[in-house]
Amino acid sequence: KSNARGVVAGLTRFVTAGHIARAALEATAFQSREVVEAMNSDSGVALESLKVDGGMVGNDLLMQFQADLLGVPVIRPKVPETTSLGAAYAAGLATGFWGEVEDLRENWVEDNGGCYIVPAFSGLFAPYWKSNARGVIAGLTRYVNAGHIARATLEATAYQSREVVEAMDADSGVALESLKVDGGMVGNDLLMQFQADLLGVPVIRPKVPETTSLGAAYAAGLATGLWNEVEDLRENWVEDNGGCYIVPAFSGLFAPYWKSNARGVVAGLTRYVNAGHIARATLEATAYQSREVVEAMDADSGVALESLKVDGGMVGNDLLMQFQADLLGVPVIRPKVPETTSLGAAYAAGLATGFWNEVEDLRENWVEDKRWEPTMDSAKRDEYYGYWKKAVTRTFDWFDADDD
């Protein structure tokens, strides 16, 4: 489904960053089970065990969960980076370097022996963009053995990275000072050292190299309020929500839906969406919820809203106030003293003690601080609100009444 988008579902006030991180990890296992079930159905052959490879197989927790979910043994090889290793093996077999698979018992080598591999198996991408290019194994001699080919396959990643870095340097005019790396291959110290040597700058590996899963956890933490500010994650500015919508139904949906079995959802996730979009979507959720309540009140009363006077801590956010005005299509007005709950308590006490004689005396104290006029065109407003309403439906009936 090309029009599907990522979702973080089942959010409640109980859910913490740990639960989000665990769910991000478990998603891999659930997806694997779906693929296995489809293959079993198509082939008529049931899976008896699963041999795994790649960076994530180093996570024992995930591997155990995968075994539990599939109900079959999960087996990790001694060398988990079988993609790179397999490319070298396959190339050697294809060129007749090895006669049989059994010939692949490889020895350690100090360098590539003059052998270079360009893995353009589907063409060359950045910075060449040549779809008609094809892979090459060059520099073969009688001296080159399986170890050299495996080493050349590994080094190809570093060479490709350097080409991309040089292209970025040329386009931006900014020279690379260091390279922060992530992913499964960064666990290979040999490759990391060669990358540093080739670039001439330090290569830095984080404590947690699986930053895709970590980033998902961070983004969800922002959405659930685990982190208070975007600055906590060294966030970059974004112009919009990137198609991401957050419905914070952590304890169910209240007005105007009144659905106690709804649960929070982060919807519309793509590879483009970053922490900034998530933070922006979290902020915008307040405006969308306010519009739904306003529409319900308009419908019940028959009186259309002409302007919205706001109060509370969030009204100090000019971005949110402008978006609220745009979404409602009416002016949003902030008072000089936004903490009107405390102010109201003071007014009530003043009236009770006779400090003020009438409510009319209090009207003189209200002063407008700032006003936001709507600037968004109606078509864009309706488009955004339509996606919000779609996201809301994803929270419905998350669990049945008889669920534990």
Side-chain angles (χ1 to χ4, degrees):
K1 288 185 177 289
S2 60
N3 63 342
R5 291 296 180 268
V7 165
V8 181
L11 297 176
T12 67
R13 296 183 184 277
F14 165 73
V15 173
T16 66
H19 297 114
I20 301 285
R22 174 83 183 228
L25 198 66
E26 291 179 354
T28 303
F30 285 116
Q31 289 175 309
S32 296
R33 171 165 172 173
E34 289 183 316
V35 172
V36 165
E37 288 183 345
M39 291 174 66
N40 287 349
S41 176
D42 290 344
S43 67
V45 179
L47 184 75
E48 296 182 356
S49 64
L50 181 68
K51 292 182 178 178
V52 294
D53 67 271
M56 294 189 78
V57 305
N59 189 304
D60 290 351
L61 174 65
L62 175 60
M63 294 301 98
Q64 183 59 57
F65 185 72
Q66 185 73 84
D68 292 340
L69 203 60
L70 291 174
V72 299
V74 169
I75 305 166
R76 179 174 63 203
K78 192 71 173 177
V79 181
E81 288 299 336
T82 53
T83 303
S84 302
L85 191 62
Y89 286 164
L93 286 169
T95 58
F97 188 81
W98 295 291
E100 301 178 15
V101 175
E102 287 70 19
D103 298 334
L104 303 180
R105 300 180 181 273
E106 163 187 82
N107 294 317
W108 169 256
V109 292
E110 291 294 332
D111 54 34
N112 65 12
C115 175
Y116 291 84
I117 293 179
V118 184
F121 305 131
S122 301
L124 281 171
F125 298 97
Y128 297 102
W129 305 112
K130 289 184 175 289
S131 60
N132 62 343
R134 288 299 179 265
V136 165
I137 304 175
L140 294 177
T141 66
R142 294 182 182 276
Y143 162 74
V144 173
N145 64 27
H148 298 117
I149 293 184
R151 173 87 181 225
T153 304
L154 198 65
E155 291 180 354
T157 302
Y159 284 116
Q160 289 175 307
S161 296
R162 173 166 171 174
E163 288 184 317
V164 172
V165 165
E166 287 183 344
M168 293 173 64
D169 285 353
D171 290 344
S172 66
V174 180
L176 183 75
E177 296 182 357
S178 65
L179 180 68
K180 292 182 178 178
V181 295
D182 68 271
M185 293 190 76
V186 305
N188 189 303
D189 291 349
L190 173 65
L191 175 59
M192 293 302 97
Q193 183 58 58
F194 185 73
Q195 184 73 84
D197 292 339
L198 203 60
L199 291 174
V201 299
V203 169
I204 305 166
R205 180 174 63 203
K207 191 73 173 176
V208 181
E210 291 298 337
T211 52
T212 303
S213 301
L214 188 64
Y218 281 164
L222 277 172
T224 58
L226 185 70
W227 293 286
N228 295 321
E229 300 181 14
V230 177
E231 288 72 16
D232 295 340
L233 298 182
R234 300 183 182 276
E235 182 50 71
N236 293 319
W237 168 256
V238 291
E239 291 293 334
D240 54 35
N241 65 13
C244 175
Y245 290 81
I246 293 177
V247 185
F250 305 132
S251 301
L253 280 172
F254 297 96
Y257 297 100
W258 305 111
K259 288 183 174 288
S260 61
N261 64 343
R263 287 297 178 266
V265 161
V266 183
L269 296 177
T270 65
R271 293 183 184 275
Y272 163 73
V273 172
N274 61 31
H277 298 115
I278 301 277
R280 173 88 180 224
T282 305
L283 197 66
E284 291 180 354
T286 301
Y288 285 115
Q289 289 176 307
S290 296
R291 172 166 172 176
E292 288 186 316
V293 172
V294 165
E295 287 186 344
M297 293 174 65
D298 285 353
D300 289 345
S301 67
V303 179
L305 184 74
E306 297 182 358
S307 65
L308 180 70
K309 291 182 177 178
V310 295
D311 69 272
M314 294 189 77
V315 306
N317 189 302
D318 290 354
L319 174 65
L320 175 59
M321 294 301 97
Q322 182 59 60
F323 186 73
Q324 185 72 84
D326 291 338
L327 204 58
L328 291 175
V330 300
V332 169
I333 305 165
R334 180 174 66 200
K336 194 72 173 176
V337 181
E339 292 298 338
T340 51
T341 303
S342 301
L343 188 64
Y347 282 163
L351 284 170
T353 59
F355 187 81
W356 290 289
N357 294 321
E358 300 177 13
V359 174
E360 295 302 321
D361 296 338
L362 306 180
R363 298 186 188 278
E364 300 175 3
N365 293 329
W366 191 91
V367 179
E368 179 178 319
D369 175 51
K370 188 171 181 177
R371 177 184 295 248
W372 290 267
E373 298 289 342
T375 59
M376 186 182 294
D377 66 77
S378 59
K380 182 63 69 175
R381 179 187 305 131
D382 292 342
E383 177 189 350
Y384 287 170
Y385 192 51
Y387 279 116
W388 163 261
K389 298 292 278 187
K390 184 182 290 188
V392 169
T393 64
R394 303 300 192 265
T395 72
F396 292 170
D397 306 321
W398 184 250
F399 62 90
D400 297 324
D402 56 352
D403 284 348
D404 290 333

